[in-house]
Amino acid sequence: MHKLEDLKIWNKAMEVAEEVYLLTANFPKEEKFGLINQLRRSAVSIPSNIAEGAGRNTNGEFKNFLGIANGSSYELYTQLLLSIKLKLGSESLVNPILSKVIELQKMSYSLIKSLEK
């Protein structure tokens, strides 16, 4: 088991989820059950799966949940790009979040590799 507060990847994922909530608060209300919902769900899925994996008993289980979190990060990345294309979020607001998502993907890959040793 791992202490969540000590996991850099979990802390970064929490930051991303918070930033996605703040970003989508300014989206049009008609997107409430569309892209807002999808963005928030995928953003929350990342730290949630990291947390669930960290609470499991084996490194293999942790790796599995990191893989799920990584899949959610790719989903979030896609949705953020779509929000720019649809002009729901400006590039100046979305690009910093995209950078953090890419950083999360790299962190996930590195952590998975370290758990394989």
Side-chain angles (χ1 to χ4, degrees), residues 52-107:
E52 186 167 355
R56 295 297 177 125
N57 295 321
T58 68
N59 284 347
E61 289 176 299
F62 192 13
K63 283 180 6 188
N64 182 53
F65 281 96
L66 287 170
I68 295 167
N70 203 37
S72 294
S73 75
Y74 276 87
E75 183 180 359
L76 177 60
Y77 186 85
T78 300
Q79 294 161 356
L80 288 167
L81 287 177
L82 184 59
S83 74
I84 292 172
K85 288 183 178 288
L86 296 174
K87 302 198 183 336
L88 298 172
S90 69
E91 286 188 44
S92 64
L93 293 175
V94 176
N95 282 339
I97 303 172
L98 286 169
S99 294
K100 287 183 181 180
V101 172
I102 292 168
E103 186 179 349
L104 274 173
Q105 292 165 348
K106 291 176 182 176
M107 292 171 79

Side-chain angles (χ1 to χ4, degrees), residues 1-7 50-59 62-63 66 111 114-115:
M1 266 198 336
H2 303 269
K3 186 176 177 193
L4 286 178
E5 292 80 6
D6 292 340
L7 290 174
I50 294 167
E52 186 167 355
R56 295 297 177 125
N57 295 321
T58 68
N59 284 347
F62 192 13
K63 283 180 6 188
L66 287 170
L111 184 52
S114 75
L115 291 171

